[in-house]
Amino acid sequence: SVVVVLDATKDPYSQVNITIIGNLAARNIPVLIVANKIDLKKADVKKVEAAFPEYEVVGISAKTGENIEEFYESLFKLVR
């Protein structure tokens, strides 16, 4: 399993994101996408979800700890 952390304030459609997640998908590796920086006004978790609809996306703030419990729950579900 792999946790991919993306900046929720940036465009999720970057070539790096597409390549990394595409390579993981090609290898059938379970992926959890974490959209970080939800404490910032320009964060857009919906945009990240729209970019990668086949994966669970959890919005968190590593700075404030917001949604960290949801992240852990999603991670535990992924690795079972």
Side-chain angles (χ1 to χ4, degrees):
S1 301
V2 174
V3 174
V4 177
V5 181
L6 303 182
D7 184 336
T9 68
K10 305 284 186 196
D11 181 5
Y13 294 98
S14 75
Q15 190 59 50
V16 171
N17 292 347
I18 302 292
T19 300
I20 289 171
I21 294 171
N23 283 331
L24 293 168
R27 292 176 174 81
N28 294 317
I29 297 172
V31 173
L32 173 63
I33 298 177
V34 176
N36 190 28
K37 300 189 180 181
I38 63 168
D39 54 296
L40 301 178
K41 283 184 180 164
K42 63 182 188 172
D44 191 349
V45 176
K46 296 284 184 210
K47 196 174 204 179
V48 176
E49 290 171 340
F52 304 104
E54 63 274 28
Y55 298 105
E56 182 174 2
V57 176
V58 178
I60 70 159
S61 169
K63 182 178 181 180
T64 67
E66 186 177 353
N67 281 355
I68 293 299
E69 286 300 318
E70 183 183 339
F71 161 69
Y72 286 136
E73 288 172 17
S74 297
L75 181 61
F76 293 144
K77 278 190 275 180
L78 184 69
V79 297
R80 279 188 210 161

